[in-house]
Amino acid sequence: MENIYKPYLMEIKEIIEETSDTTTFRLAFKDGSIGEKFDFKAGQFAEYSVFGEGECTFCIASSPTRKEFIECSFKKAGKVTTALDRLNVGDTIGFRGPYGNYFPVDEMKGSNVVFISGGIGLAPVRCVIDNVLDLRADFKDITIIYGARSVDDLVYKDKLEDWKKMPDVKTIVTVDPGGETPEWKGEIGFVPAIVEKAAPKAENTYAVVCGPPIMIKYTIPVLLKLGFDEKKIVTTLENRMKCGLGKCGRCNVGNVYVCKDGPVFTYEQMKELPQEY
Amino acid sequence: MEEKIITKENLIKLSTDLVNEGFNVIAPSEKGYTLLQTDPLLSLSDSQPLPKSPFKGYLFPKTEPLFYYKKGQHDYEFVDVNLQNVKNIFLAAKPCDAASVNILSKVFNWDYKDEFFDIRADNSLVISMACSTSDEYCFCTSVGLSPVSTKGADLFMIPLAGDKYAIRIVTDKGKSFAEKYSKYFSDGNSVESEKVLAGIKAPEQSFDTAKVKDWLDKNFESEFWNGIAATCLACGQCAFSCPVCHCFDIVDEDYSYKEGRRMKNWDACQFGLFTEHASGHNPRDNQAKRYRQRISHKFKYYKDKFDEVLCTGCGRCTRGCPVSIDIKEIVTEINNLN
Amino acid sequence: MNNLSQIISELLTGGKVTKVIGYVKSGSRSKPFISSKAEDAGKFIMDETCVNNLAVYLTKDEIMKQGKVAVVAKGCDIRAIVALIQENQIKRDDVYIIGVNCQGVKENFDSNVLAAKCTPCKVKTPAVYDVLIEMEKPKSEPSKENKKEEIEKISAMTDAERFEFFEKEFEKCIKCYACRQACPLCYCEQCIADKSVPRWIESSATKRGNMAWNIIRAFHLSGRCIGCNECERVCPQDIPLSLLNKKMSMVAFDEFGYEAGMDMDAPTLTGNYDIKDKEDFIQ
């Protein structure tokens, strides 16, 4: 019997403490042959499980162009994430995926791309940033705007340094007013305000926006004012998902199952959905 | 449609044979659809009222293990669930329950195939029977069904005078079954059965699903939803006794430190915590929003996605509702708003 | 019914209450109805089909947040209101009680027999109310069921027999939680069954998950259950929940002389330690 609910087994190879409550796992398939065949696209998610506690949904944070590890980042929030937080290198977890749709990387080729994210929202965006940077020649200008509540809350600090060093990538990092330290040399301000200040040009540009709902709510009007096309503003919806297979009904919003027709949506598609997410 | 005749005596002999061959023969009784071998009173008259619960539990159980896990020294081991010896025969099912099989199959088979449902459904035979016990809560005729609908059935029984039944062969599966047990059947014609069918009183149609869907398409934010279902207790009874509601939850249960199982359990969108995120944000945080989801999912979203209305008009949700919230009344109101 | 409609109309037009919770006709039954409009006053009824315990709405924030509420309540419902006041969930001033001189209600709408709980009822004329109304005389017969006898039969079983009896009944449970939602005394903001960190009660409808849920609910109601029998009425699987809950109220009375919902000022049984409490069960 083909059991669509049965996960693959993954071993935790490395644990990185990003902030006080956010952790990144580097995982590898226990069965190497599955690891070799495994493929996914930037933006897809998976169901990670701790046996005995349950399953939990996060995006796959590593890029599909880098196959040594599967990476995921999560914030300690509920039952399963708390259990994941307690695991050590060498422990086994379950992995079901990849599910969902993906960022339109192919469509974005030949355009400028602006990546805007906040807090843990950098996790799904980082996957597509790495994917795009690995194919750098196919894209024009690349801008990365990222913000968090405070310097401590910035995730992927080493990646941010890497991107800042790249000459053909414009990287702007900001913290909320009050979150800066005396040594902080980056911007200070909420992400939507920094986007307005940076004023990326809208022509032939895709905007990838990911972060807390309130950040998205205030960033999109800024982008629209700058002249961005609704079809070229891409974001991810964070709904409560359970099966990931479009069956259990939990993520059903309007005619759409977020786990199958999302989690990546353009702003144009999001406007069509009933506003209950 | 090819038609055969079977006497009541032969039907009981056939049922006994099937039970002895290892089939779960399931027939309606007051308490619900029960196994014949544990409930010997088999009432096959067409005046058997609608059983309190539908038979979806035999295809999509209220709780079932997805797999078992054992923690070894460095690894986890999975033990699979074996469903191969599940064989069901639903006998004298009501047409509104028989129709649920096709409707449920759509969501369990689009893109990914849920074998837990498929194996059970493939190994089941549905023999429905014309129904003459509709009451004021039934509305099968409003959702495209009727007391004599053959949707979802493999064989369709019509009670005739003289303790006999006409059996119409609806699907190939039904045909193979009739051929296998042909010693119990004799040939029939549809003269008498047509007369019986014509005499069955059907519930009056209350609403038109196309009109309802049209209104739902345009009125997500309507004032109509304010305060709807204000007395709803969020008890989940409507979803659990509905033949086609299928939302579920996946949870892990440990037996001990080293082993356990992952379970798939019934769930309901009417429960307050159904859409609550770990952050505490709940997109449907009051009962009116949850009830709007119930109606919209049944009469619009499922139709848009799978071209089926997610309702068979059986009325169990209303009959069993502790506060008598009437879905037929509400949908008829929507119909009249358009 | 003019009396009831008049009372409700006056309460709403005078602004004495912000809304009224009562019953209206629904086919051959009745159903709860909440309104803040005086023109709805004529819809309210009170007859033998009005079985719901409307006190269950008094702990819901959405209903109570606008201010004082009037509720049509029979003796058993008023016991629930008094129990809620005893437990500091509502204040006497939050609710205007339209008491009913009750002669019995039906649980099973297909029969002509009143509910079993009504035959031994001691609060047919309630003790607490703001105004008292009469109900339409019931057309149904009083029930001859004797719950106490049934409970005594089960008490006479051996421990193993009793456990098997309840295990078999609870196996039917589908974990719909209708019993909890319909109970006016189950008002916890986060029910223990919904807590997942840690998971105290399994959510699966298996034998052990069902035993855990039903027995823990009976424990949490011990000494608090006022016997409205709504849990058993709403159960879609016909589980005889009243046997367990009534047994626990009998224990509360026999051992501690306590009955929930009878005296607004009395301390609750399980929320109070009395130095005179019996200790002979401590071995």
Side-chain angles (χ1 to χ4, degrees):
Chain A
M1 175 176 92
E2 201 198 300
N3 190 342
I4 52 178
Y5 301 99
K6 199 156 78 169
Y8 299 123
L9 291 173
M10 302 280 247
E11 188 180 317
I12 303 177
K13 291 289 188 192
E14 209 183 313
I15 299 181
I16 303 157
E17 303 277 340
E18 302 282 350
T19 73
S20 54
D21 57 0
T22 314
T23 313
T24 299
F25 279 177
R26 282 224 171 110
L27 307 163
F29 285 92
K30 286 210 114 157
D31 182 349
S33 62
I34 299 180
E36 272 164 42
K37 284 185 278 164
F38 186 74
D39 194 19
F40 66 98
K41 295 207 169 63
Q44 291 192 300
F45 69 93
E47 296 276 347
Y48 301 82
S49 38
V50 178
F51 295 105
E53 301 287 336
E55 284 185 315
C56 200
T57 312
F58 339 110
C59 62
I60 303 175
S62 51
S63 164
T65 45
R66 303 184 194 176
K67 298 252 195 158
E68 320 84 65
F69 300 112
I70 297 279
E71 280 185 37
C72 72
S73 303
F74 59 90
K75 193 170 169 174
K76 196 165 77 168
K79 184 176 166 72
V80 183
T81 43
T82 312
L84 281 169
D85 195 56
R86 279 192 239 117
L87 295 177
N88 299 311
V89 173
D91 283 339
T92 305
I93 64 170
F95 175 93
R96 266 200 304 128
Y99 296 136
N101 68 355
Y102 39 86
F103 287 107
V105 173
D106 283 335
E107 276 167 42
M108 298 194 313
K109 287 186 181 163
S111 311
N112 308 314
V113 190
V114 180
F115 296 99
I116 304 169
S117 50
I120 186 73
L122 183 53
V125 179
R126 172 205 134 162
C127 163
V128 64
I129 292 179
D130 277 343
N131 195 346
V132 163
L133 289 177
D134 283 344
L135 307 163
R136 185 67 185 87
D138 290 337
F139 300 88
K140 294 208 161 77
D141 295 338
I142 295 192
T143 315
I144 302 174
I145 303 176
Y146 172 59
R149 244 178 301 147
S150 70
V151 180
D152 272 332
D153 289 315
L154 294 167
V155 299
Y156 306 134
K157 293 188 181 67
D158 50 344
K159 279 225 132 340
L160 291 170
E161 292 303 313
D162 286 343
W163 294 331
K164 276 198 209 139
K165 290 200 197 99
M166 291 184 184
D168 54 355
V169 173
K170 185 169 167 202
T171 309
I172 306 171
V173 184
T174 176
V175 292
D176 288 355
E180 71 272 23
T181 57
E183 310 87 50
W184 178 246
K185 294 208 178 55
E187 297 278 348
I188 300 174
F190 293 110
V191 170
I194 299 296
V195 173
E196 205 168 353
K197 185 169 158 198
K201 62 175 169 44
E203 202 190 311
N204 196 25
T205 314
Y206 273 86
V208 175
V209 187
C210 200
I214 192 157
M215 185 209 94
I216 299 186
K217 185 170 164 190
Y218 286 106
T219 306
I220 292 195
V222 169
L223 292 171
L224 292 172
K225 210 166 80 176
L226 287 167
F228 275 80
D229 185 344
E230 283 181 358
K231 289 200 255 294
K232 294 198 178 160
I233 301 177
V234 179
T235 180
T236 59
L237 262 192
E238 205 50 52
N239 252 51
R240 180 157 173 200
M241 300 186 240
K242 199 83 215 196
C243 68
L245 305 157
K247 295 179 184 349
C248 75
R250 229 184 208 79
C251 66
N252 170 238
V253 178
N255 284 353
V256 143
Y257 284 98
V258 176
C259 66
K260 296 235 9 94
D261 306 301
V264 178
F265 291 102
T266 62
Y267 180 62
E268 187 191 27
Q269 288 167 331
M270 252 175 63
K271 273 195 339 182
E272 298 290 311
L273 292 177
Q275 306 297 298
E276 39 172 38
Y277 42 77
Chain B
M1 227 177 271
E2 201 189 326
E3 189 163 316
K4 300 255 181 233
I5 302 248
I6 189 171
T7 62
K8 185 168 185 176
E9 203 189 319
N10 274 346
L11 185 55
I12 293 181
K13 281 201 200 131
L14 171 60
S15 314
T16 315
D17 271 3
L18 291 168
V19 169
N20 292 337
E21 284 175 37
F23 282 95
N24 285 341
V25 181
I26 298 154
S29 73
E30 272 229 5
K31 296 182 242 154
Y33 282 88
T34 48
L35 284 175
L36 208 55
Q37 50 253 50
T38 57
D39 202 337
L41 278 170
L42 175 59
S43 167
L44 286 173
S45 87
D46 62 338
S47 52
Q48 167 70 44
L50 185 72
K52 210 165 174 189
S53 41
F55 64 64
K56 87 174 164 183
Y58 290 97
L59 301 177
F60 168 44
K62 65 183 180 181
T63 176
E64 67 168 327
L66 293 171
F67 56 84
Y68 299 87
Y69 51 83
K70 283 199 202 143
K71 189 171 183 179
Q73 219 186 5
H74 298 290
D75 218 331
Y76 276 92
E77 204 186 292
F78 290 132
V79 176
D80 280 321
V81 172
N82 187 359
L83 290 174
Q84 298 303 339
N85 37 8
V86 166
K87 299 188 289 182
N88 299 322
I89 304 225
F90 298 104
L91 187 54
K94 292 285 178 187
C96 48
D97 290 329
S100 68
V101 186
N102 286 12
I103 298 177
L104 279 176
S105 179
K106 298 261 165 80
V107 71
F108 283 116
N109 279 293
W110 77 295
D111 208 2
Y112 296 96
K113 312 241 169 289
D114 184 336
E115 298 247 326
F116 292 92
F117 179 84
D118 284 345
I119 290 181
R120 290 192 173 94
D122 288 339
N123 290 351
S124 299
L125 186 81
V126 179
I127 306 177
S128 64
M129 187 155 88
C131 163
S132 54
T133 56
S134 54
D135 64 10
E136 74 247 40
Y137 300 105
C138 290
F139 56 98
C140 53
T141 44
S142 306
V143 291
L145 295 172
S146 78
V148 302
S149 162
T150 55
K151 179 173 174 172
D154 296 301
L155 295 163
F156 181 69
M157 283 164 59
I158 305 164
L160 304 172
D163 271 348
K164 311 202 286 286
Y165 303 89
I167 298 211
R168 292 194 178 174
I169 300 181
V170 185
T171 62
D172 289 333
K173 214 188 207 177
K175 194 176 168 77
S176 318
F177 179 83
E179 275 165 15
K180 186 168 175 206
Y181 297 97
S182 53
K183 65 178 175 187
Y184 293 115
F185 299 98
S186 51
D187 282 327
N189 62 60
S190 53
V191 175
E192 204 189 327
S193 52
E194 280 301 320
K195 282 206 211 101
V196 172
L197 290 181
I200 289 184
K201 187 171 152 321
E204 235 182 85
Q205 189 171 356
S206 307
F207 56 81
D208 176 358
T209 47
K211 258 179 106 181
V212 170
K213 177 160 148 27
D214 192 52
W215 187 91
L216 289 171
D217 282 340
K218 309 182 193 120
N219 284 286
F220 186 76
E221 299 288 352
S222 161
E223 285 236 333
F224 174 80
W225 300 115
N226 290 353
I228 200 166
T231 51
C232 173
L233 297 172
C235 75
Q237 191 276 141
C238 52
F240 285 19
S241 47
C242 172
V244 286
C245 270
H246 55 265
C247 285
F248 59 86
D249 190 15
I250 301 179
V251 293
D252 282 7
E253 268 173 31
D254 276 342
Y255 290 161
S256 69
Y257 185 58
K258 291 205 198 124
E259 47 183 346
R261 54 194 183 176
R262 183 159 288 171
M263 306 293 278
K264 184 201 219 188
N265 300 331
W266 284 356
D267 208 341
C269 60
Q270 299 303 294
F271 288 145
L273 300 176
F274 189 67
T275 46
E276 192 178 84
H277 297 185
S279 60
H281 167 62
N282 191 346
R284 294 190 199 121
D285 52 3
N286 67 34
Q287 207 54 38
K289 290 185 186 157
R290 295 191 274 269
Y291 205 75
R292 171 176 62 185
Q293 163 66 8
R294 184 176 170 76
I295 303 270
S296 307
H297 190 202
K298 284 185 172 294
F299 292 95
K300 172 177 154 58
Y301 306 151
Y302 208 80
K303 182 92 179 139
D304 277 339
K305 233 174 153 55
F306 303 114
D307 200 24
E308 294 272 10
V309 173
L310 192 64
C311 175
T312 58
C314 69
R316 284 183 177 99
C317 48
T318 310
R319 269 186 223 103
C321 178
V323 295
S324 303
I325 292 183
D326 191 340
I327 200 173
K328 176 172 78 161
E329 193 187 302
I330 294 176
V331 180
T332 308
E333 243 186 276
I334 293 179
N335 180 75
N336 298 339
L337 276 178
N338 196 351
Chain C
M1 286 301 104
N2 277 331
N3 196 6
L4 177 60
S5 309
Q6 210 178 348
I7 292 173
I8 292 177
S9 176
E10 278 169 18
L11 286 170
L12 287 171
T13 42
K16 209 162 170 191
V17 298
T18 56
K19 47 176 84 123
V20 176
I21 310 173
Y23 308 92
V24 295
K25 206 153 174 51
S26 170
S28 55
R29 313 192 216 173
S30 69
K31 63 179 180 187
F33 183 64
I34 303 176
S35 175
S36 42
K37 297 189 255 178
E39 54 265 31
D40 283 336
K43 296 190 187 155
F44 287 90
I45 60 165
M46 182 63 218
D47 64 24
E48 63 178 358
T49 61
C50 299
V51 64
N52 297 72
N53 188 335
L54 300 178
V56 72
Y57 296 108
L58 297 177
T59 44
K60 294 199 192 307
D61 211 28
E62 281 231 356
I63 293 178
M64 301 300 284
K65 64 185 175 190
Q66 274 113 20
K68 190 163 178 165
V69 158
V71 63
V72 177
K74 317 182 283 292
C76 41
D77 308 338
I78 291 176
R79 272 187 75 180
I81 299 177
V82 170
L84 288 172
I85 295 172
Q86 278 181 282
E87 296 184 1
N88 291 316
Q89 294 306 306
I90 56 175
K91 296 204 265 306
R92 177 69 183 88
D93 285 334
D94 289 340
V95 58
Y96 184 95
I97 304 178
I98 303 175
V100 178
N101 215 354
C102 178
Q103 297 165 64
V105 288
K106 276 206 292 199
E107 275 176 2
N108 182 353
F109 297 111
D110 295 322
S111 77
N112 283 328
V113 182
L114 296 174
K117 66 173 179 174
C118 297
T119 311
C121 176
K122 298 188 294 185
V123 287
K124 289 197 155 92
T125 299
V128 178
Y129 52 82
D130 288 298
V131 68
L132 191 65
I133 62 165
E134 298 296 320
M135 70 182 271
E136 249 184 61
K137 190 161 161 47
K139 304 189 190 77
S140 303
E141 303 271 307
S143 164
K144 298 207 177 54
E145 241 185 279
N146 191 334
K147 275 270 144 68
K148 251 194 167 165
E149 250 178 45
E150 263 183 79
I151 290 176
E152 261 142 39
K153 250 194 267 173
I154 296 178
S155 293
M157 290 183 186
T158 65
D159 283 353
E161 284 171 346
R162 210 178 311 135
F163 192 83
E164 204 191 306
F165 173 80
F166 279 109
E167 203 178 43
K168 198 151 157 259
E169 290 294 341
F170 293 143
E171 237 181 325
K172 301 188 278 181
C173 177
I174 55 176
K175 293 293 194 66
C176 66
Y177 301 114
C179 50
R180 171 186 78 183
Q181 301 297 119
C183 174
L185 273 292
C186 268
Y187 52 71
C188 285
E189 268 182 46
Q190 185 181 40
C191 175
I192 192 173
D194 289 334
K195 211 161 155 58
S196 60
V197 187
R199 166 67 67 188
W200 296 112
I201 304 179
E202 273 174 10
S203 56
S204 305
T206 50
K207 215 192 255 189
R208 75 177 193 178
N210 293 349
M211 281 301 262
W213 163 243
N214 285 289
I215 291 183
I216 288 181
R217 197 180 98 89
F219 261 122
H220 283 190
L221 281 177
S222 303
R224 303 168 61 234
C225 171
I226 46 90
C228 66
N229 210 33
E230 280 289 88
C231 48
E232 193 177 282
R233 178 185 74 91
V234 304
C235 177
Q237 299 295 96
D238 296 326
I239 299 174
L241 295 166
S242 62
L243 293 175
L244 206 46
N245 290 326
K246 192 166 172 66
K247 169 69 180 172
M248 297 317 284
S249 343
M250 282 161 65
V251 168
F253 185 70
D254 293 335
E255 300 293 324
F256 301 97
Y258 178 78
E259 280 185 292
M262 296 306 240
D263 178 354
M264 246 191 297
D265 301 313
T268 57
L269 176 63
T270 42
N272 178 55
Y273 172 66
D274 190 326
I275 203 142
K276 296 197 231 66
D277 276 340
K278 284 198 276 190
E279 290 180 352
D280 51 7
F281 51 85
I282 301 174
Q283 303 283 321

